[in-house]
Amino acid sequence: MSTALVDDIKEIKEDNPFESMMSRFDRAAQLLNLDPDLYAVMRVPNRELKVYIPTRMDSGRIQVFEGFRVQHNFARGPAKGGIRYSPDVNIDEIRALAAWMTWKCAVVNVPFGGAKGGIICDPMQMSIGELERMTRRYASELLDFIGPEKDVPAPDMNTNEQTMAWIMDTYSMHARHTVNAVVTGKPIDLGGSRGRLEATGRGLLIVVTEAAKRFKMTPADTRVVVQGSGNVGGIAALLVHQAGFKVVGISDVHGGIYNPRGLEIPQALKHLEATRSFEGFGGAERVSNSELLELDCDVLIPAATENQITSSNAERLKCKVLAEGANGPTTAAADEILYRKGIFVIPDILANAGGVTVSYFEWVQDRMGYFWREDVVNERLQDTMVASFNDLCRYADAHSVDTRTAAYMLAIDRVAYDTRMRGIYA
Ligand code: GLU
């Protein structure tokens, strides 16, 4: 490994998720003493697609959107990862998210590589018809590159089971037969898996429960704060509340609410659904999203977006356990501060891996044409998450490293082994 890498680590731009990912990758690679040839292969994505997506808008005019699909790694199986719609999408973000999918699948040992896609658009300002036409045209641009054996998309920010149904249908129309294993996170009636919608939140519940056991904290005395109330944060908050944890704070994009005695999460989420805001929810104090992260609590679950915990606010965090529901909520520059403060980090590539784990189960069920009961899905998810949590803690102890570094080392080691065994085709 060249010493230039060490200098690069110091110069990272804090809010660039790709640089955050790479600095952790470099650190783990150095600690593993990764062979320089393998390092050269693994530090770059396999393929990056950029597509232009002409879409007829309701006005009758054509708007051309820009989209991406980065296929980061195929060493362990088909590439796997979500598609997000947002005005903030950019290639560096998608590149980082694709790599995180590779490491995430390796941490929980599911036989996939990693990918991510995105379209630069503002889905809140688009009609259902516009979203459908944009999605189908994007899917048609990706036809040669996706497929059950190639790359299997899934939902991510601002995409859902409807988006997946459109992609599956577009792909199937071209294949001239129904191919449900081309995407996961589909509606259950179209070959989706029971338990997939809740899987990321349920995975968080499982790792938070394991961490609580490790620190001898009982659920009733464990105060939890959740940033975000979408498919990840909302469901995680509900499930930890149902499991007897005391959720004292929760937020959405506009801000949050706090009650040190605990919030009635089902009612708070109903209020959010009905009024599109936590504003006016009784018996709780309003807090901003940045105040929310600094609340006094035992477990903090950032489940919104990237770059929420940075070198500017990490010092003020008061949690004992940080369970990362979002991808990349913590910048690499904040890692060291958290470590120094003794905060136990359950890194994103483990903490939010429940989603892709049940995506794997969905893909398996589609290929068998035989669908499992929800309790079977949940039990297998529990087994995977608990085993992966224990593997990670053991690995961190054995190598005397923090849990984030351990997760990267574990993942890189697994991908490196498979890459070495397959060899380089030439
Ligand atoms: N978008 C989710 C993630 O970031 C799920 C990906 C998948 O299931 O393929 O993990």
Side-chain angles (χ1 to χ4, degrees), residues 103-129:
W103 313 136
K104 188 186 303 188
C105 292
V107 165
V108 288
N109 228 338
V110 299
F112 288 139
K116 202 78 167 201
I119 302 180
I120 307 171
C121 64
D122 189 352
M124 305 306 164
Q125 306 300 324
M126 294 171 70
S127 69
I128 291 283

PDB file of all heavy atoms in Angstrom, residues 103-129:
ATOM      1  N   TRP A 103     -20.304  -3.940   0.448  1.00  0.00           N
ATOM      2  CA  TRP A 103     -19.797  -4.265   1.799  1.00  0.00           C
ATOM      3  C   TRP A 103     -20.925  -4.786   2.693  1.00  0.00           C
ATOM      4  O   TRP A 103     -20.739  -5.699   3.492  1.00  0.00           O
ATOM      5  CB  TRP A 103     -19.101  -3.052   2.443  1.00  0.00           C
ATOM      6  CG  TRP A 103     -18.128  -2.334   1.543  1.00  0.00           C
ATOM      7  CD1 TRP A 103     -18.015  -0.981   1.388  1.00  0.00           C
ATOM      8  CD2 TRP A 103     -17.139  -2.912   0.660  1.00  0.00           C
ATOM      9  NE1 TRP A 103     -17.033  -0.687   0.462  1.00  0.00           N
ATOM     10  CE2 TRP A 103     -16.485  -1.838  -0.006  1.00  0.00           C
ATOM     11  CE3 TRP A 103     -16.766  -4.215   0.338  1.00  0.00           C
ATOM     12  CZ2 TRP A 103     -15.464  -2.033  -0.944  1.00  0.00           C
ATOM     13  CZ3 TRP A 103     -15.758  -4.416  -0.605  1.00  0.00           C
ATOM     14  CH2 TRP A 103     -15.127  -3.351  -1.220  1.00  0.00           C
ATOM     15  N   LYS A 104     -22.115  -4.212   2.537  1.00  0.00           N
ATOM     16  CA  LYS A 104     -23.262  -4.623   3.355  1.00  0.00           C
ATOM     17  C   LYS A 104     -23.621  -6.082   3.094  1.00  0.00           C
ATOM     18  O   LYS A 104     -23.809  -6.874   4.018  1.00  0.00           O
ATOM     19  CB  LYS A 104     -24.448  -3.714   2.991  1.00  0.00           C
ATOM     20  CG  LYS A 104     -25.660  -3.847   3.839  1.00  0.00           C
ATOM     21  CD  LYS A 104     -26.824  -3.007   3.289  1.00  0.00           C
ATOM     22  CE  LYS A 104     -26.492  -1.523   3.152  1.00  0.00           C
ATOM     23  NZ  LYS A 104     -27.689  -0.713   2.793  1.00  0.00           N
ATOM     24  N   CYS A 105     -23.715  -6.453   1.808  1.00  0.00           N
ATOM     25  CA  CYS A 105     -24.069  -7.842   1.470  1.00  0.00           C
ATOM     26  C   CYS A 105     -23.000  -8.796   1.995  1.00  0.00           C
ATOM     27  O   CYS A 105     -23.320  -9.909   2.443  1.00  0.00           O
ATOM     28  CB  CYS A 105     -24.236  -8.000  -0.039  1.00  0.00           C
ATOM     29  SG  CYS A 105     -25.678  -7.130  -0.676  1.00  0.00           S
ATOM     30  N   ALA A 106     -21.734  -8.351   1.966  1.00  0.00           N
ATOM     31  CA  ALA A 106     -20.669  -9.224   2.473  1.00  0.00           C
ATOM     32  C   ALA A 106     -20.738  -9.342   3.995  1.00  0.00           C
ATOM     33  O   ALA A 106     -20.516 -10.428   4.549  1.00  0.00           O
ATOM     34  CB  ALA A 106     -19.304  -8.690   2.039  1.00  0.00           C
ATOM     35  N   VAL A 107     -21.072  -8.254   4.697  1.00  0.00           N
ATOM     36  CA  VAL A 107     -21.144  -8.305   6.169  1.00  0.00           C
ATOM     37  C   VAL A 107     -22.212  -9.302   6.625  1.00  0.00           C
ATOM     38  O   VAL A 107     -22.013 -10.047   7.584  1.00  0.00           O
ATOM     39  CB  VAL A 107     -21.408  -6.894   6.773  1.00  0.00           C
ATOM     40  CG1 VAL A 107     -21.848  -6.976   8.223  1.00  0.00           C
ATOM     41  CG2 VAL A 107     -20.152  -6.033   6.678  1.00  0.00           C
ATOM     42  N   VAL A 108     -23.381  -9.307   5.949  1.00  0.00           N
ATOM     43  CA  VAL A 108     -24.425 -10.257   6.351  1.00  0.00           C
ATOM     44  C   VAL A 108     -24.349 -11.555   5.546  1.00  0.00           C
ATOM     45  O   VAL A 108     -25.216 -12.416   5.676  1.00  0.00           O
ATOM     46  CB  VAL A 108     -25.849  -9.643   6.276  1.00  0.00           C
ATOM     47  CG1 VAL A 108     -26.067  -8.647   7.388  1.00  0.00           C
ATOM     48  CG2 VAL A 108     -26.126  -9.000   4.921  1.00  0.00           C
ATOM     49  N   ASN A 109     -23.302 -11.659   4.725  1.00  0.00           N
ATOM     50  CA  ASN A 109     -23.035 -12.882   3.996  1.00  0.00           C
ATOM     51  C   ASN A 109     -24.170 -13.336   3.086  1.00  0.00           C
ATOM     52  O   ASN A 109     -24.513 -14.516   3.061  1.00  0.00           O
ATOM     53  CB  ASN A 109     -22.679 -14.001   4.990  1.00  0.00           C
ATOM     54  CG  ASN A 109     -21.428 -14.724   4.550  1.00  0.00           C
ATOM     55  OD1 ASN A 109     -21.070 -14.685   3.359  1.00  0.00           O
ATOM     56  ND2 ASN A 109     -20.771 -15.400   5.469  1.00  0.00           N
ATOM     57  N   VAL A 110     -24.797 -12.391   2.357  1.00  0.00           N
ATOM     58  CA  VAL A 110     -25.748 -12.809   1.321  1.00  0.00           C
ATOM     59  C   VAL A 110     -25.012 -12.778  -0.022  1.00  0.00           C
ATOM     60  O   VAL A 110     -24.119 -11.951  -0.219  1.00  0.00           O
ATOM     61  CB  VAL A 110     -27.051 -11.963   1.297  1.00  0.00           C
ATOM     62  CG1 VAL A 110     -27.802 -12.066   2.602  1.00  0.00           C
ATOM     63  CG2 VAL A 110     -26.795 -10.513   0.929  1.00  0.00           C
ATOM     64  N   PRO A 111     -25.343 -13.698  -0.931  1.00  0.00           N
ATOM     65  CA  PRO A 111     -24.511 -13.894  -2.128  1.00  0.00           C
ATOM     66  C   PRO A 111     -24.759 -12.885  -3.235  1.00  0.00           C
ATOM     67  O   PRO A 111     -25.127 -13.231  -4.349  1.00  0.00           O
ATOM     68  CB  PRO A 111     -24.907 -15.303  -2.577  1.00  0.00           C
ATOM     69  CG  PRO A 111     -26.321 -15.432  -2.139  1.00  0.00           C
ATOM     70  CD  PRO A 111     -26.467 -14.637  -0.886  1.00  0.00           C
ATOM     71  N   PHE A 112     -24.569 -11.619  -2.906  1.00  0.00           N
ATOM     72  CA  PHE A 112     -24.746 -10.546  -3.876  1.00  0.00           C
ATOM     73  C   PHE A 112     -23.538  -9.631  -3.876  1.00  0.00           C
ATOM     74  O   PHE A 112     -22.846  -9.502  -2.853  1.00  0.00           O
ATOM     75  CB  PHE A 112     -25.951  -9.669  -3.501  1.00  0.00           C
ATOM     76  CG  PHE A 112     -27.312 -10.276  -3.694  1.00  0.00           C
ATOM     77  CD1 PHE A 112     -28.300 -10.083  -2.735  1.00  0.00           C
ATOM     78  CD2 PHE A 112     -27.625 -11.003  -4.832  1.00  0.00           C
ATOM     79  CE1 PHE A 112     -29.576 -10.614  -2.904  1.00  0.00           C
ATOM     80  CE2 PHE A 112     -28.902 -11.533  -5.018  1.00  0.00           C
ATOM     81  CZ  PHE A 112     -29.883 -11.339  -4.044  1.00  0.00           C
ATOM     82  N   GLY A 113     -23.361  -8.937  -5.006  1.00  0.00           N
ATOM     83  CA  GLY A 113     -22.456  -7.796  -5.055  1.00  0.00           C
ATOM     84  C   GLY A 113     -23.252  -6.542  -4.740  1.00  0.00           C
ATOM     85  O   GLY A 113     -24.333  -6.616  -4.155  1.00  0.00           O
ATOM     86  N   GLY A 114     -22.723  -5.395  -5.164  1.00  0.00           N
ATOM     87  CA  GLY A 114     -23.407  -4.155  -4.816  1.00  0.00           C
ATOM     88  C   GLY A 114     -23.646  -3.254  -6.010  1.00  0.00           C
ATOM     89  O   GLY A 114     -22.843  -3.222  -6.951  1.00  0.00           O
ATOM     90  N   ALA A 115     -24.759  -2.536  -5.976  1.00  0.00           N
ATOM     91  CA  ALA A 115     -25.082  -1.555  -7.013  1.00  0.00           C
ATOM     92  C   ALA A 115     -25.977  -0.487  -6.405  1.00  0.00           C
ATOM     93  O   ALA A 115     -26.508  -0.664  -5.304  1.00  0.00           O
ATOM     94  CB  ALA A 115     -25.814  -2.225  -8.172  1.00  0.00           C
ATOM     95  N   LYS A 116     -26.135   0.611  -7.096  1.00  0.00           N
ATOM     96  CA  LYS A 116     -27.114   1.625  -6.698  1.00  0.00           C
ATOM     97  C   LYS A 116     -27.480   2.436  -7.916  1.00  0.00           C
ATOM     98  O   LYS A 116     -26.645   2.626  -8.813  1.00  0.00           O
ATOM     99  CB  LYS A 116     -26.518   2.549  -5.636  1.00  0.00           C
ATOM    100  CG  LYS A 116     -27.560   3.258  -4.803  1.00  0.00           C
ATOM    101  CD  LYS A 116     -28.121   2.298  -3.772  1.00  0.00           C
ATOM    102  CE  LYS A 116     -28.916   2.981  -2.712  1.00  0.00           C
ATOM    103  NZ  LYS A 116     -28.989   2.090  -1.526  1.00  0.00           N
ATOM    104  N   GLY A 117     -28.715   2.911  -7.949  1.00  0.00           N
ATOM    105  CA  GLY A 117     -29.147   3.754  -9.046  1.00  0.00           C
ATOM    106  C   GLY A 117     -29.852   4.983  -8.524  1.00  0.00           C
ATOM    107  O   GLY A 117     -30.263   5.031  -7.353  1.00  0.00           O
ATOM    108  N   GLY A 118     -30.003   5.968  -9.396  1.00  0.00           N
ATOM    109  CA  GLY A 118     -30.734   7.150  -8.975  1.00  0.00           C
ATOM    110  C   GLY A 118     -31.090   8.002 -10.166  1.00  0.00           C
ATOM    111  O   GLY A 118     -30.452   7.922 -11.220  1.00  0.00           O
ATOM    112  N   ILE A 119     -32.129   8.804 -10.001  1.00  0.00           N
ATOM    113  CA  ILE A 119     -32.505   9.782 -11.033  1.00  0.00           C
ATOM    114  C   ILE A 119     -32.580  11.148 -10.355  1.00  0.00           C
ATOM    115  O   ILE A 119     -33.143  11.270  -9.259  1.00  0.00           O
ATOM    116  CB  ILE A 119     -33.865   9.441 -11.682  1.00  0.00           C
ATOM    117  CG1 ILE A 119     -33.850   8.033 -12.317  1.00  0.00           C
ATOM    118  CG2 ILE A 119     -34.225  10.491 -12.746  1.00  0.00           C
ATOM    119  CD1 ILE A 119     -35.174   7.619 -12.974  1.00  0.00           C
ATOM    120  N   ILE A 120     -31.987  12.157 -11.007  1.00  0.00           N
ATOM    121  CA  ILE A 120     -32.080  13.526 -10.489  1.00  0.00           C
ATOM    122  C   ILE A 120     -33.455  14.067 -10.862  1.00  0.00           C
ATOM    123  O   ILE A 120     -33.727  14.338 -12.031  1.00  0.00           O
ATOM    124  CB  ILE A 120     -30.984  14.435 -11.096  1.00  0.00           C
ATOM    125  CG1 ILE A 120     -29.596  13.798 -10.918  1.00  0.00           C
ATOM    126  CG2 ILE A 120     -31.036  15.829 -10.478  1.00  0.00           C
ATOM    127  CD1 ILE A 120     -28.480  14.513 -11.676  1.00  0.00           C
ATOM    128  N   CYS A 121     -34.346  14.139  -9.884  1.00  0.00           N
ATOM    129  CA  CYS A 121     -35.704  14.617 -10.146  1.00  0.00           C
ATOM    130  C   CYS A 121     -36.332  15.008  -8.813  1.00  0.00           C
ATOM    131  O   CYS A 121     -35.791  14.673  -7.761  1.00  0.00           O
ATOM    132  CB  CYS A 121     -36.545  13.509 -10.803  1.00  0.00           C
ATOM    133  SG  CYS A 121     -36.809  12.068  -9.745  1.00  0.00           S
ATOM    134  N   ASP A 122     -37.437  15.720  -8.864  1.00  0.00           N
ATOM    135  CA  ASP A 122     -38.123  16.061  -7.623  1.00  0.00           C
ATOM    136  C   ASP A 122     -39.461  15.327  -7.599  1.00  0.00           C
ATOM    137  O   ASP A 122     -40.483  15.841  -8.077  1.00  0.00           O
ATOM    138  CB  ASP A 122     -38.329  17.576  -7.551  1.00  0.00           C
ATOM    139  CG  ASP A 122     -38.847  17.984  -6.179  1.00  0.00           C
ATOM    140  OD1 ASP A 122     -39.174  17.081  -5.375  1.00  0.00           O
ATOM    141  OD2 ASP A 122     -38.930  19.190  -5.927  1.00  0.00           O
ATOM    142  N   PRO A 123     -39.469  14.108  -7.057  1.00  0.00           N
ATOM    143  CA  PRO A 123     -40.676  13.270  -7.168  1.00  0.00           C
ATOM    144  C   PRO A 123     -41.903  13.899  -6.506  1.00  0.00           C
ATOM    145  O   PRO A 123     -43.030  13.598  -6.888  1.00  0.00           O
ATOM    146  CB  PRO A 123     -40.281  11.971  -6.458  1.00  0.00           C
ATOM    147  CG  PRO A 123     -39.093  12.298  -5.627  1.00  0.00           C
ATOM    148  CD  PRO A 123     -38.407  13.439  -6.296  1.00  0.00           C
ATOM    149  N   MET A 124     -41.684  14.805  -5.531  1.00  0.00           N
ATOM    150  CA  MET A 124     -42.827  15.448  -4.849  1.00  0.00           C
ATOM    151  C   MET A 124     -43.599  16.373  -5.807  1.00  0.00           C
ATOM    152  O   MET A 124     -44.765  16.673  -5.578  1.00  0.00           O
ATOM    153  CB  MET A 124     -42.360  16.289  -3.647  1.00  0.00           C
ATOM    154  CG  MET A 124     -41.520  15.533  -2.648  1.00  0.00           C
ATOM    155  SD  MET A 124     -42.346  14.034  -2.063  1.00  0.00           S
ATOM    156  CE  MET A 124     -40.953  13.168  -1.348  1.00  0.00           C
ATOM    157  N   GLN A 125     -42.904  16.842  -6.845  1.00  0.00           N
ATOM    158  CA  GLN A 125     -43.536  17.770  -7.798  1.00  0.00           C
ATOM    159  C   GLN A 125     -44.053  17.032  -9.041  1.00  0.00           C
ATOM    160  O   GLN A 125     -44.478  17.669  -9.993  1.00  0.00           O
ATOM    161  CB  GLN A 125     -42.526  18.844  -8.262  1.00  0.00           C
ATOM    162  CG  GLN A 125     -41.851  19.619  -7.152  1.00  0.00           C
ATOM    163  CD  GLN A 125     -42.863  20.360  -6.288  1.00  0.00           C
ATOM    164  OE1 GLN A 125     -43.874  20.847  -6.785  1.00  0.00           O
ATOM    165  NE2 GLN A 125     -42.612  20.394  -4.976  1.00  0.00           N
ATOM    166  N   MET A 126     -43.972  15.686  -9.048  1.00  0.00           N
ATOM    167  CA  MET A 126     -44.356  14.951 -10.259  1.00  0.00           C
ATOM    168  C   MET A 126     -45.644  14.167 -10.034  1.00  0.00           C
ATOM    169  O   MET A 126     -45.891  13.676  -8.932  1.00  0.00           O
ATOM    170  CB  MET A 126     -43.220  13.991 -10.677  1.00  0.00           C
ATOM    171  CG  MET A 126     -41.965  14.738 -11.105  1.00  0.00           C
ATOM    172  SD  MET A 126     -40.562  13.639 -11.344  1.00  0.00           S
ATOM    173  CE  MET A 126     -41.036  12.743 -12.828  1.00  0.00           C
ATOM    174  N   SER A 127     -46.457  14.024 -11.106  1.00  0.00           N
ATOM    175  CA  SER A 127     -47.683  13.228 -10.988  1.00  0.00           C
ATOM    176  C   SER A 127     -47.321  11.741 -11.092  1.00  0.00           C
ATOM    177  O   SER A 127     -46.212  11.382 -11.520  1.00  0.00           O
ATOM    178  CB  SER A 127     -48.650  13.596 -12.110  1.00  0.00           C
ATOM    179  OG  SER A 127     -48.121  13.130 -13.342  1.00  0.00           O
ATOM    180  N   ILE A 128     -48.297  10.898 -10.737  1.00  0.00           N
ATOM    181  CA  ILE A 128     -48.083   9.450 -10.841  1.00  0.00           C
ATOM    182  C   ILE A 128     -47.756   9.062 -12.284  1.00  0.00           C
ATOM    183  O   ILE A 128     -46.864   8.268 -12.549  1.00  0.00           O
ATOM    184  CB  ILE A 128     -49.354   8.676 -10.384  1.00  0.00           C
ATOM    185  CG1 ILE A 128     -49.556   8.844  -8.869  1.00  0.00           C
ATOM    186  CG2 ILE A 128     -49.297   7.209 -10.749  1.00  0.00           C
ATOM    187  CD1 ILE A 128     -48.636   7.989  -8.032  1.00  0.00           C
ATOM    188  N   GLY A 129     -48.468   9.670 -13.230  1.00  0.00           N
ATOM    189  CA  GLY A 129     -48.241   9.366 -14.648  1.00  0.00           C
ATOM    190  C   GLY A 129     -46.819   9.727 -15.063  1.00  0.00           C
ATOM    191  O   GLY A 129     -46.147   8.958 -15.771  1.00  0.00           O
TER     192      GLY A 129
END
